[in-house]
Amino acid sequence: MEHLTKSRIAEYEQCEKRFWLSLHRPELATVAGGSLFSGGNQVGGLARALLPDGVAVTEIDATAAVEQTAELIQTYPGRPIFEAAFRHERVLVRADVLLPEEGGWRMIEVKSSGSVKAYQLADLATQVWAAQGAGLPLAGAAIRHVDTKFTYPGGGEYAGLFKDAEVQGELGSLIAGRADLVGEAWGLALAGEPVKEPGPHCSDPFECPFTAYCLQTAPAQPDYPVTLLPGVAGKKIAAQLSAAGYLDLRDVPVGAIEPPAQVRIHEATRSGMPYHDRGAFAAAVGAWSSPRHYLDFETIAHVVPPWAGTRPYQAVPFQFSCHVEEADGALTHTGFLDLSGDDPSRACAEALISCIGDEGAIITYNVAFERGCITGLAARFPDLSDALMARAERLVDALPLVRAHYYHRDMRGSYSIKAVLPAVVPSLSYADLEGVHDGQGAQAAFLEATAPNVSPQRRDQLREQLGRYCELDTWAMVELVRVLAV
């Protein structure tokens, strides 16, 4: 290995073992999970397109790229340079953008995030350290990230999509420590496999592709570890219990946990008997007016908004499912799904108004999400706003009722509907669905179904999978309420 790269150094900063395995045992990696919508390539391309007089380093070979960079700096001192390459102390970096300024160059790291992250500062510090070490006069450094307040006007006009965060002042201590950090990384690269137990670093800031390998050799974990206690309070209690030597929640003595919500989890886990305050649950549900509408949305959040009037990372609903339960218990189902590739927002809003009449509770599971979808549609379509906002006022939330009145130890500290459903209604399972099993899978299916090259047969298959998934979300709410209230 001739040099380290920014990515290798970032791996070392996340986990020494990940770094070592990437170098010496890459075949042990499995595909790591990540955001489907990071949009890095598209964002990078747009950042270049907004600098039309820029010139790019096209060489792939490290030595050739460094030489081409030097030539471009000399030949085009007044033009932006893309992918400029620098090598210093056996570290090779490539800067996304160099902008000419009085007194030198301004280094720009382009990111698809909506704000500056700590790991991005570390990445940029590596770039600045190497470029300055190679002799580049730097006048500034910034992270160019997506501005989430940007509203796309349409017509391919993306000026204003990016926002620069001037961070050079925050890089001083990071840059000062780069030489030692690089030396440590090289020392580890030439040593044997390090010992590192799995922990939070396995997914922070990125999912590690070697987690499965590391778990094979890690000590066996109890079925119900104290770490399953949810929320900030639960994590604090879990840390205290771990420090006291408790690993399995079933071994924790009665009385060692005090907050009522955590006590319920502890007692149900110890006894194996669910906590279920049926009367309180039924009383709360009894206040919901009929007809009851069980509602769930699926949304897509593009980094680079493709539809006029939308913003980066805005959750745009493309699908909903609604089960309507009459006072006598009769049920009907209505669904909406737009796979045309056009903006689905208005059609979704109109279908929602039609589906949900002027009376009755609208039941959700985590109401903030559905309310955000409805109020977002109301903001975009003033002529539909009154009808949509009237429906938003009728929203009720089943999640806090479940959280307050039910817990089964097989939920393992989670109150998500996918954790609660198999405990309450074992006959229903998301695992039985074909293709789409969760929200991320629904988003991936939407992207595939709306891609220009998808076949009609595949689009129809995805349409069916999406329909079954979203319908199960609302049917699950119906069944949860019925079982827990009776």
Side-chain angles (χ1 to χ4, degrees):
M1 181 174 59
E2 296 182 358
H3 55 254
L4 296 177
T5 63
K6 176 191 71 176
S7 298
R8 285 280 185 255
I9 293 171
E11 289 177 339
Y12 177 77
E13 290 189 277
Q14 177 173 348
C15 174
E16 312 93 284
K17 191 168 185 178
R18 175 180 182 173
F19 167 80
W20 191 93
L21 291 170
S22 294
L23 293 176
H24 300 287
R25 300 293 306 277
E27 74 280 3
L28 296 176
T30 55
V31 177
S35 171
L36 290 166
F37 315 108
S38 60
N41 292 336
Q42 188 181 13
V43 164
L46 276 174
R48 290 190 184 194
L50 293 172
L51 296 168
D53 60 335
V55 292
V57 174
T58 56
E59 295 288 352
I60 303 299
D61 175 76
T63 299
V66 170
E67 292 174 352
Q68 187 182 14
T69 298
E71 292 174 4
L72 293 178
I73 288 174
Q74 292 297 319
T75 307
Y76 304 105
R79 296 173 65 178
I81 299 176
F82 309 131
E83 293 295 322
F86 302 95
R87 185 159 44 192
H88 174 62
E89 296 292 334
R90 294 194 296 169
V91 173
L92 177 74
V93 300
R94 302 194 70 149
D96 291 334
V97 181
L98 287 182
L99 292 179
E101 290 191 353
E102 184 177 351
W105 296 84
R106 183 163 168 253
M107 182 177 286
I108 304 292
E109 183 84 347
V110 180
K111 297 296 183 181
S112 60
S113 61
S115 61
V116 175
K117 312 296 183 183
Y119 73 87
Q120 296 170 352
L121 294 174
D123 284 352
L124 184 55
T126 299
Q127 309 250 103
V128 170
W129 172 78
Q132 288 181 320
L136 181 73
L138 275 178
I143 291 176
R144 181 163 291 178
H145 63 87
V146 171
D147 185 353
T148 56
K149 295 182 180 179
F150 168 79
T151 299
Y152 177 47
E157 296 294 331
Y158 286 101
L161 175 65
F162 295 103
K163 183 177 183 179
D164 282 1
E166 301 295 338
V167 296
Q168 189 169 14
E170 302 175 50
L171 300 180
S173 61
L174 290 170
I175 293 172
R178 289 294 102 172
D180 289 343
L181 184 74
V182 168
E184 293 167 2
W186 273 114
L188 179 59
L190 301 175
E193 180 177 342
V195 176
K196 183 82 170 185
E197 296 296 333
H201 58 275
C202 295
S203 57
D204 184 17
F206 300 107
E207 293 289 340
C208 176
F210 298 101
T211 299
Y213 165 74
C214 293
L215 289 175
Q216 290 176 359
T217 57
Q221 296 297 306
D223 291 335
Y224 300 96
V226 295
T227 52
L228 63 73
L229 292 173
V232 175
K235 299 311 174 190
K236 182 178 180 180
I237 294 170
Q240 294 169 345
L241 293 173
S242 296
Y246 294 106
L247 300 180
D248 193 319
L249 192 58
R250 294 170 295 183
D251 296 333
V252 176
V254 173
I257 297 174
E258 296 182 355
Q262 309 292 347
V263 169
R264 290 197 292 269
I265 293 173
H266 180 216
E267 292 179 346
T269 302
R270 278 175 54 91
S271 69
M273 298 297 295
Y275 167 79
H276 187 186
D277 189 342
R278 195 180 306 273
F281 191 95
V285 169
W288 296 346
S289 58
S290 295
R292 296 173 180 173
H293 305 78
Y294 294 81
L295 177 66
D296 178 75
F297 285 102
E298 298 300 328
T299 63
I300 192 72
H302 292 92
V303 180
V304 179
W307 303 307
T310 61
R311 302 183 310 277
Y313 292 105
Q314 179 179 350
V316 177
F318 64 84
Q319 181 179 18
F320 71 74
S321 171
C322 182
H323 275 90
V324 181
E325 184 181 29
E326 303 295 339
D328 62 1
L331 277 167
T332 56
H333 175 261
T334 300
F336 168 84
L337 175 60
D338 185 344
L339 297 181
S340 67
D342 297 328
D343 184 356
S345 302
R346 185 169 185 95
C348 180
E350 292 174 343
L352 184 69
I353 292 169
S354 175
C355 168
I356 299 178
D358 297 328
E359 296 179 348
I362 303 172
I363 298 133
T364 67
Y365 203 87
N366 190 10
V367 71
F369 177 71
E370 268 69 31
R371 178 175 285 121
C373 290
I374 295 174
T375 57
L377 291 170
R380 291 193 61 198
F381 306 111
D383 59 317
L384 303 178
S385 179
D386 288 348
L388 289 167
M389 293 307 295
R391 283 154 178 78
E393 292 174 359
R394 291 156 49 201
L395 292 169
V396 297
D397 195 350
L399 172 57
L401 297 186
V402 175
R403 185 179 282 123
H405 304 306
Y406 184 81
Y407 184 79
H408 190 293
R409 72 179 186 180
D410 287 349
M411 290 159 53
R412 302 181 59 80
S414 172
Y415 288 94
S416 79
I417 197 165
K418 292 174 179 61
V420 177
L421 184 64
V424 178
V425 191
S427 60
L428 291 180
S429 173
Y430 285 86
D432 294 335
L433 294 172
E434 180 182 353
V436 178
H437 304 92
D438 54 29
Q440 189 176 44
Q443 294 166 357
F446 174 82
L447 291 178
E448 182 183 353
T450 56
N453 59 346
V454 69
S455 69
Q457 294 80 8
R458 176 57 176 161
R459 183 182 290 112
D460 289 343
Q461 183 183 43
L462 292 167
R463 186 185 304 278
E464 181 177 355
Q465 292 175 2
L466 283 164
R468 290 178 181 273
Y469 167 72
C470 197
E471 182 176 355
L472 180 57
D473 270 342
T474 51
W475 179 241
M477 283 191 279
V478 172
E479 287 291 279
L480 284 178
V481 170
R482 284 180 170 179
V483 172
L484 294 180
V486 174

